[in-house]
Amino acid sequence: MIRIAKPLFAFALALLTGSCADRDDRTELVIQRFFGACQAEFGNLTDPAQANGECGIITAMINQFRSENPDIKVVENTVFWPGYDQLNAQLAANGAPDLVTMHSSVIPDYKSRDLLQPLGPMLATEGIVPADFTAAARAGVTVEGEVMGLPMDVWATLWHINQNLFDRAGLVRDGEPILPRNVDEFMAQAAQFEERTGKPYLAQITARDFSGPMRSFYIYMMQQGANVFNDERNANFDSPEGRRALQFMRDVYARGYTTPDQDYTGSLATFLQGDAGIVVVGTWMVGELDARSKEPDSPFYHGYAVRPVPQLFDGPEISFVDGHNWVMPRDDSRSEAEQEAALRFLRFFAQNDFQWSRTGHFPAFTKIIESREWQSLPHRAAISSITRIGKPLPSFVRRQAPIENVVGEEAAAAMSGAKPVGKAISDMQRRTNEILRSF
């Protein structure tokens, strides 16, 4: 007979009874997102109106949902941007989260492999229908006629402007920045800016992080009325429009009108330090840069403006956009209660999409864009044309994530002069078509 010492027995019994007492029988909802981690600053905040920035607002929104739904055990997984490598591993291991943040440009790829649960019928039970979404948001979640997610927003590349430097350069009229209307005006204004301030006109991503060059290339192609892709197996990069777009990007770099050899962090830091007139970055920085402009030590104190990328080519007024969405990975083991918990969160997010739009992203719902509340937010009137002219890539384009890397890499090589424009754009097309034809 084995004798157990009394203190040890008591300890074991306490562990056993304690584990029973702590058992949590609530329905578990696993929400996986990117947008960074900021628990130290916003981890206890349940009012999104008191938060700022993507990370702060999404953290506060999830906290608010958790506090309003105590019967649901909310597990929040924060992944390194963009999180698809982790999601792929989870799908392979049959351990997918219930809801995941996903870019519109990535949805067709996952849908083509039947890895996502269509959400249209589920959302309809809550009265959330595609007609409620803006045109760009609706296009972002609709693949082959099916609504694959709940759109969170539409985002676009913008020009964030240090108007104090623009004033020194003589590029302000009636309190508004004077922006170019074609390539020739761009070059003239960039030269004038550099001559009068001693600083580059643009701060933008030109190395290592290839998302920036990719987006600029797409925008300049679209501004010429060109299709970026001819069909699901053929890119249209090596075309007169593609060559003009890439040659313009090369000329800007070669003339010294943009910061050289900078990634995302470097280009943003250059602008924050007052060492460039414009930083080319997305909607997500509107709220944070506006807040920075109110600080007396800011180089753009009371001198921040933001505009859509100006129309530089002779074509339709258009801008490349993407979006963030909530999607539900397929999981045959997900219970009805877990699915209902996910639907409850989607309903909550749709009802509170205004708070998310305070980041600077455009709301996914037309009624919010038309509301006085949204229109009264700082700078929205100046950029609201994106809600009309924004256009995502066609949903037939699969594997957009690896393609974006190829496009950005080749565009960056051409910008810096590491490759001739002709060689870069032919390699861009060849490599992209290999990806498109590989499945």
Side-chain angles (χ1 to χ4, degrees):
M1 179 177 178
I2 300 175
R3 298 179 64 88
I4 301 177
K6 191 172 182 179
L8 182 60
F9 177 78
F11 177 68
L13 183 62
L15 284 178
L16 180 62
T17 57
S19 64
C20 292
D22 293 341
R23 180 174 176 177
D24 192 338
D25 291 325
R26 294 178 298 169
T27 299
E28 184 173 274
L29 173 65
V30 181
I31 299 173
Q32 187 156 298
R33 66 166 184 84
F34 38 72
F35 304 121
C38 49
Q39 290 297 316
E41 186 174 2
F42 299 105
N44 296 319
L45 188 65
T46 58
D47 181 4
Q50 302 303 313
N52 57 73
E54 287 180 313
C55 185
I57 293 174
I58 195 67
T59 299
M61 289 183 75
I62 293 175
N63 288 344
Q64 180 186 356
F65 176 79
R66 183 183 283 116
S67 69
E68 293 177 356
N69 296 271
D71 58 317
I72 297 175
K73 179 184 177 182
V74 179
V75 178
E76 181 181 359
N77 289 344
T78 302
V79 295
F80 185 74
W81 189 93
Y84 302 126
D85 289 342
Q86 182 166 332
L87 177 60
N88 293 340
Q90 291 165 328
L91 288 166
N94 295 318
D98 297 303
L99 294 171
V100 176
T101 46
M102 183 172 286
H103 293 92
S104 301
S105 55
V106 177
I107 290 177
D109 199 25
Y110 281 83
K111 202 269 186 187
S112 70
R113 292 178 284 159
D114 199 30
L115 296 174
L116 300 179
Q117 175 70 44
L119 291 184
M122 189 185 303
L123 295 174
T125 65
E126 298 297 325
I128 304 171
V129 294
D132 296 336
F133 309 150
T134 66
R138 184 165 58 249
V141 295
T142 306
V143 183
E144 297 174 348
E146 290 189 287
V147 175
M148 301 305 300
L150 175 75
M152 300 169 66
D153 59 51
V154 171
W155 57 259
T157 297
L158 302 170
W159 276 17
H160 303 263
I161 302 162
N162 182 330
Q163 196 145 294
N164 296 336
L165 287 178
F166 260 56
D167 194 32
R168 280 173 52 188
L171 294 173
V172 174
R173 181 186 301 123
D174 297 328
E176 298 292 326
I178 301 172
L179 299 181
R181 295 166 295 182
N182 53 56
V183 169
D184 290 340
E185 284 191 4
F186 178 100
M187 296 301 183
Q189 291 185 15
Q192 178 177 322
F193 184 91
E194 184 179 38
E195 178 183 352
R196 297 189 182 184
T197 68
K199 303 176 187 293
Y201 188 60
L202 297 181
Q204 61 178 336
I205 301 170
T206 51
R208 292 179 291 282
D209 178 351
F210 302 124
S211 57
M214 171 273 296
R215 293 168 191 154
S216 293
F217 177 72
Y218 283 174
I219 289 170
Y220 297 143
M221 277 199 72
M222 288 179 167
Q223 285 188 354
Q224 297 174 73
N227 292 322
V228 180
F229 292 86
N230 286 325
D231 53 51
E232 63 185 11
R233 292 187 177 274
N234 294 281
N236 188 38
F237 306 148
D238 196 357
S239 59
E241 296 87 355
R243 287 174 176 260
R244 275 194 292 271
L246 199 54
Q247 186 62 57
F248 168 69
M249 295 168 68
R250 169 57 188 155
D251 291 344
V252 171
Y253 192 104
R255 297 184 189 187
Y257 299 152
T258 185
T259 50
D261 194 34
Q262 286 196 331
D263 59 10
Y264 175 88
T265 302
S267 61
L268 191 56
T270 294
F271 182 78
L272 289 170
Q273 293 162 8
D275 290 330
I278 299 163
V279 64
V280 184
V281 71
T283 46
W284 54 89
M285 288 304 301
V286 172
E288 294 192 37
L289 291 178
D290 179 69
R292 183 78 176 97
S293 73
K294 295 176 172 59
E295 299 173 6
D297 64 341
S298 170
F300 45 95
Y301 180 55
H302 289 169
Y304 170 64
V306 59
R307 298 290 186 274
V309 176
Q311 184 78 23
L312 300 177
F313 293 89
D314 187 15
E317 187 182 13
I318 200 167
S319 188
F320 168 66
V321 299
D322 202 334
H324 302 117
N325 313 274
W326 291 109
V327 299
M328 179 180 287
R330 280 198 182 277
D331 184 352
D332 294 336
S333 68
R334 185 177 293 117
S335 69
E336 187 172 322
E338 290 167 338
Q339 186 157 300
E340 167 56 30
L343 179 58
R344 205 188 301 181
F345 178 80
L346 295 174
R347 178 174 65 242
F348 163 84
F349 199 94
Q351 292 170 344
N352 291 276
D353 194 48
F354 167 77
Q355 290 297 338
W356 178 245
S357 74
R358 290 176 47 249
T359 58
H361 298 313
F362 297 100
F365 294 84
T366 302
K367 68 178 181 180
I368 298 177
I369 287 177
E370 293 175 347
S371 71
R372 182 176 300 177
E373 187 179 31
W374 182 80
Q375 292 176 7
S376 65
L377 290 174
H379 310 290
R380 277 14 179 225
I383 59 175
S384 62
S385 63
I386 295 289
T387 65
R388 175 176 50 83
I389 66 174
K391 183 178 180 182
L393 293 182
S395 62
F396 62 69
V397 182
R398 310 288 167 82
R399 307 305 302 275
Q400 287 189 41
I403 288 171
E404 288 173 356
N405 193 65
V406 167
V407 172
E409 182 181 15
E410 296 293 348
M415 287 173 69
S416 68
K419 273 189 181 183
V421 167
K423 172 65 172 170
I425 207 159
S426 63
D427 286 350
M428 185 192 297
Q429 174 126 336
R430 172 185 54 78
R431 293 172 64 192
T432 296
N433 286 346
E434 287 173 356
I435 294 173
L436 291 172
R437 298 167 186 174
S438 66
F439 61 94

